[in-house]
Structure formats: structure tokens, C-alpha cells
């Protein structure tokens, strides 16, 4: 199920605006995202993710096989 959610989010990253993707990351994956944090068109397949103010993951970035990702 987690892998399917990752693939769905990756596909949506190219067509949905950021507010819709933020909603999906929070609902499907349980990510903790600060309102100022942003994730571009990227594949983020990690166990848990926490992003603080002004944290960014740029377009075409691949992050996978991590238990936890914390960006301040």
C-alpha cells in the first residue's frame, strides 16, 4: 500500500498544484509539513518525513529507503 501511495504522489507531482499535493502527502503518507515547506515534482519514498519552515525539496529529486527524513 505504501509503495502504491508513493507512485500515486509521484504521478500527481507533475499535474497537481502544491496545496493539493500537500494534502495528499499529509493524508496518504502522514508527513508533517510546515505551512512554508515545499516539495517539488519529486519522488519522496521515506518512512516518516518532517519538514520545518522554509524547508524545500526541489524538482526531480529522488529520496528513498530512509526510515526518517527531518528537514529544519
Amino acid at each position: 500500500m505504501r509503495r502504491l501511495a508513493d507512485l500515486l504522489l509521484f504521478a500527481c507531482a507533475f499535474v497537481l498544484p502544491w496545496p493539493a499535493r500537500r494534502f495528499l502527502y499529509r493524508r496518504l503518507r502522514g508527513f508533517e509539513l510546515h505551512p512554508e515547506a515545499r516539495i517539488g515534482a519529486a519522488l519522496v519514498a521515506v518512512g516518516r518525513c518532517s519538514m520545518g519552515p522554509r524547508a524545500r525539496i526541489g524538482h526531480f529529486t529522488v529520496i528513498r529507503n530512509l526510515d526518517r527524513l527531518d528537514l529544519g
Side-chain angles (χ1 to χ4, degrees):
M1 183 67 172
R2 179 174 283 177
R3 188 171 186 158
L4 180 61
D6 290 335
L7 292 175
L8 173 66
L9 285 169
F10 184 62
C12 290
F14 294 97
V15 293
L16 292 179
W18 171 240
R21 284 185 285 139
R22 173 192 298 279
F23 176 80
L24 291 176
Y25 274 117
R26 292 180 65 158
R27 288 292 189 171
L28 293 178
R29 299 289 302 167
F31 285 12
E32 298 172 19
L33 302 173
H34 188 275
E36 296 177 11
R38 297 282 187 266
I39 300 175
L43 175 60
V44 183
V46 298
R48 295 185 58 176
C49 179
S50 176
M51 294 178 67
R54 296 178 297 182
R56 303 277 190 262
I57 296 175
H59 296 298
F60 308 110
T61 302
V62 176
I63 303 172
R64 57 183 216 157
N65 299 330
L66 296 176
D67 291 328
R68 183 162 178 85
L69 174 65
D70 290 313
L71 298 174

